Amino acid sequence: SSRSSLPPKDSKPTPIVDGSESSDFATGSTTRLPPDGSMGKMIPAKALELYDSRLTKYERREILDYDEVFFVGSEAPKIQAPVTDGSNFGYDDDKGDYIIVNGDHIAYRYEVVGGLGKGSFGQVLQVKDHKKGTVAALKLIRNKKRFHQQAMIEIKILDHLRCRDPEERSCTVRMLNYFKFRSHTVITFDMHSINLYELTKLNGYQPFAPALIKRFTAQLLVSLAFMWQEQ
């Protein structure tokens, strides 16, 4: 597939280099670059100047499409794109799933911490948002046309629910933002705790206490009533 256009909405991160030093020739001072590259917001040209040796050939072009950079994943074992015989420049497997590299960046803003789950539409990652200094869940949709189309419907619904519930009282999942990255549709969410299935396993597959069941049921009813109201 062709090279993608990059995140339009609230979605860009920052560069990074090994704990090497960078000299400011104008002042004669020396800046210590942190090993994880989290130096705060930078313009792409400055990030490229500092971290050129840590970026792949593909990234040196790609980074200039961003307005701001927060993280570049300098310590990650990066895919050396472009890979001429690889899918999507080497970034995808043969099923259209993005190949995850822990410690690398997503859109020069998010640092991949690890995987949370995988399904037919794509995969969900735990990421560190270097722009906001928070942890988020990031959903990477498979790079196939029908999944992109379905993702746009999901985004439309999530955006409507978000706008109609500014005080977050509806017990529905909250989308933070969405964008395109390397031909993949990406959606970010607030990071939540353990899911119901994992909780059931931790409980030894034993019945939950009635009081806990009532709490779950109340939240489901609140969510269903809100969605019914919003059609």
Side-chain angles (χ1 to χ4, degrees):
S1 41
S2 60
R3 184 174 170 225
S4 63
S5 58
L6 294 161
K9 279 194 96 141
D10 169 40
S11 66
K12 285 121 190 176
T14 316
I16 180 178
V17 143
D18 203 289
S20 55
E21 294 182 344
S22 173
S23 297
D24 184 338
F25 296 104
T27 63
S29 63
T30 300
T31 302
R32 186 76 177 174
L33 299 177
D36 69 350
S38 50
M39 290 186 67
K41 184 171 71 173
M42 303 177 70
I43 60 172
K46 184 63 175 177
L48 190 58
E49 175 188 338
L50 292 175
Y51 302 115
D52 179 81
S53 65
R54 294 288 180 168
L55 301 175
T56 67
K57 182 179 179 181
Y58 185 94
E59 288 176 317
R60 291 186 197 109
R61 297 193 311 267
E62 177 188 61
I63 197 171
L64 297 175
D65 291 334
Y66 286 79
D67 297 326
E68 52 191 18
V69 174
F70 298 89
F71 180 78
V72 300
S74 68
E75 295 300 301
K78 293 177 177 290
I79 294 168
Q80 296 301 308
V83 178
T84 54
D85 58 347
S87 179
N88 190 24
F89 302 103
Y91 287 117
D92 292 358
D93 63 19
D94 56 2
K95 295 180 180 178
D97 278 313
Y98 188 78
I99 299 172
I100 304 304
V101 177
N102 286 347
D104 206 359
H105 71 85
I106 300 290
Y108 299 94
R109 169 174 170 174
Y110 302 95
E111 177 183 356
V112 178
V113 176
L116 292 174
K118 191 172 183 179
S120 58
F121 282 79
Q123 48 201 324
V124 180
L125 311 176
Q126 179 179 341
V127 296
K128 180 179 179 181
D129 183 348
H130 281 268
K131 180 174 183 177
K132 295 184 176 180
T134 56
V135 175
L138 184 147
K139 185 175 183 179
L140 269 163
I141 305 299
R142 284 174 63 187
N143 186 13
K144 300 291 182 182
K145 184 178 180 180
R146 69 181 187 277
F147 294 122
H148 285 302
Q149 293 170 339
Q150 187 64 39
M152 294 314 298
I153 295 172
E154 179 181 357
I155 288 168
K156 184 177 179 180
I157 293 170
L158 289 169
D159 194 45
H160 176 81
L161 295 177
R162 177 176 62 175
C163 292
R164 298 293 293 175
D165 181 30
E167 296 180 357
E168 301 182 42
R169 295 181 176 180
S170 66
C171 298
T172 54
V173 66
R174 185 170 183 81
M175 178 179 69
L176 299 177
N177 68 339
Y178 62 92
F179 52 90
K180 296 281 279 191
F181 176 65
R182 295 175 182 168
S183 299
H184 290 263
T185 301
V186 181
I187 312 173
T188 62
F189 300 90
D190 286 324
M191 185 72 183
H192 293 286
S193 186
I194 191 169
N195 62 48
L196 190 57
Y197 177 69
E198 294 297 328
L199 181 60
T200 303
K201 285 204 302 184
L202 281 179
N203 197 44
Y205 299 99
Q206 297 300 308
F208 293 124
L212 187 57
I213 294 173
K214 286 180 181 179
R215 287 181 60 189
F216 292 157
T217 304
Q219 291 175 6
L220 286 170
L221 290 173
V222 168
S223 177
L224 288 170
F226 173 71
M227 287 188 283
W228 179 83
Q229 177 183 324
E230 295 301 322
Q231 299 297 310

